[in-house]
Amino acid sequence: MSDRAPYLVERRLPTEESRELVALVRDIAQREIAPRAAQEEEAGRFPREVFSLLSESGLLGLPYDSAYGGGDQPYEVYLQVLEELAAARLTVGLGVSVHSLACHAVAGYGTKEQRTEHLPAMLGGGLLGAYCLSEPASGSDAASLRTKAVRDGDDWVLTGTKAWITHGGIADFYTVLARTGVEGPRGITAFLVPGDAEGLNAAAPEKKMGMKGSPTAQLNFDGVRVGDARRIGEEGQGFAIALSALDSGRLGIAACAIGVAQAALSEAVGYATGRQQFGRPIADFQGLRFMLADMATQIEAGRALYLEAARLRDEGKPFSRQAAMAKLFCTDLAMRVTVDAVQVLGGYGYTQDFPVERLMREAKVLQIVEGTNQIQRMVIARHLAGPETR
Ligand SMILES: Cc1cc2nc3c(=O)[nH]c(=O)nc-3n(C[C@H](O)[C@H](O)[C@H](O)COP(=O)(O)OP(=O)(O)OC[C@H]3O[C@@H](n4cnc5c(N)ncnc54)[C@H](O)[C@@H]3O)c2cc1C
């Protein structure tokens, strides 16, 4: 197993505090997370203790209000923290991003009572969240979801199946989108469901190509009863809440993709400068130098794109188009860069002795989650040409 190559990023951060924060995270990531990543991914082990450590260190609620236990950090800082975590291990970076996504509904749409009651434990009290939108028969067409919530006195009773849920079966709380009314997007409502709710059962985790340490599971809601106090937002507002969460979540995926790509580039540079062929380091050969230059250029362009979207968000401006562009561009480049990193390492790149094969398998999922890259193109095109005519 190779030691991780030195990290090559020069960051532009807004304050001294944020520079110290990102440096602290890089230290935790490279010291506590990266050294165990390969072995634990191979074993399919979820590092719950790392999430406890992140929670204790105030790193699970960074972009949220400090009045409720968050870190008050702008998105441009939070995303660079995610990038550092994902560079060390995608299971952790993506896990933090999904946790943030799961907190979005209560933080953005909950009543004051709901925020006061739930957020401190969610943002800094050690709880881990999950976000439940997808179902077996509704992925890209999320508005056709069928999980039902039926009113019964002061309660709601949830019945149905959610699919592909990151942290499914191990989360302490689930943000669940369920149908309470008409077909389509206007009949959907958001609920906050405790992980130990009666009637909530997780299937065995999916056997995935990568990110094996991150459990992804179907969840069965068999008459799960929650009080109306756990309905988040208005009845019928759930799909708008889900989409607003995804705009921000997509930036998290973009940042994770840059972390994975940067880790692959660091490995490729480290290997190419050490490996000799024809009596010289292979990094001397223009064929490889140009590959490394292209990898680095794509990464910097992707980082600039996600940061531009984040800064718009931080200024309270619309950023949905830029978030879709960042998700699309960063995850596609992460796929190309990790494939190229395997190529730079030659035969060794194709083995588990080096991390690049794992990074290549991990990059693939980022083109699929939180809206496939086909769906991102649809979102971007709608901003350009308006809605499709049929
Ligand atoms: C590891 C992992 C973790 C996940 N975590 C979560 C989670 O925590 N919570 C959650 O809710 N979901 C989660 N998902 C689900 C993920 O968001 C969906 O897989 C994704 O939205 C695609 O849905 P689908 O798999 O049903 O594919 P489908 O929607 O069936 O799409 C299949 C193919 O058709 C293409 N396609 C579909 N419609 C169109 C169109 N109109 N135009 C062009 N192409 C189209 C898609 O791009 C794709 O290539 C996760 C998935 C994975 C793999």
Side-chain angles (χ1 to χ4, degrees), residues 8 260-270 291-293 295-296 299 337 341:
L8 305 169
V260 169
Q262 182 72 49
L265 173 64
S266 299
E267 287 294 333
V269 170
M291 270 173 87
L292 296 174
M295 291 156 80
I299 290 170
V337 164

Side-chain angles (χ1 to χ4, degrees), residues 62-259:
L62 279 183
Y64 291 109
D65 190 344
S66 57
Y68 298 102
D72 268 341
Q73 288 299 317
Y75 237 63
E76 73 165 309
V77 174
Y78 158 67
L79 292 181
Q80 296 192 71
V81 164
L82 275 189
E83 192 194 311
E84 292 289 344
L85 293 172
R89 186 170 175 190
L90 184 59
T91 285
V92 176
L94 190 86
V96 172
S97 184
V98 166
H99 175 83
S100 275
L101 186 70
C103 296
H104 183 94
V106 179
Y109 299 85
T111 60
K112 190 158 193 312
E113 291 70 34
Q114 287 173 328
R115 280 180 278 151
T116 306
E117 181 176 350
H118 299 296
L119 278 181
M122 290 161 72
L123 298 179
L127 300 191
L128 183 67
Y131 175 83
C132 306
L133 177 63
S134 305
E135 298 186 358
S138 64
S140 301
D141 182 14
S144 68
L145 64 82
R146 287 194 215 142
T147 295
K148 263 198 179 138
V150 176
R151 187 80 194 230
D152 181 22
D154 282 343
D155 291 344
W156 292 89
V157 179
L158 277 71
T159 307
T161 304
K162 291 290 174 184
W164 305 110
I165 304 309
T166 300
H167 305 155
I170 61 163
D172 301 300
F173 64 91
Y174 295 92
T175 296
V176 181
L177 286 309
R179 188 161 302 287
T180 53
V182 292
E183 292 295 300
R186 290 179 203 285
I188 295 170
T189 302
F191 296 91
L192 182 67
V193 177
D196 60 358
E198 206 172 315
L200 175 56
N201 296 298
E206 306 290 347
K207 294 187 172 156
K208 305 195 297 296
M209 178 192 288
M211 277 227 315
K212 296 177 188 197
S214 170
T216 311
Q218 271 199 8
L219 284 182
N220 190 40
F221 292 76
D222 184 11
V224 172
R225 187 173 280 274
V226 293
D228 189 49
R230 283 181 170 268
R231 169 178 50 80
I232 311 298
E234 302 300 324
E235 280 180 51
Q237 198 187 6
F239 200 64
I241 295 175
L243 291 189
S244 133
L246 285 177
D247 274 346
S248 298
R250 282 168 186 167
L251 288 179
I253 302 298
C256 286
I258 295 300

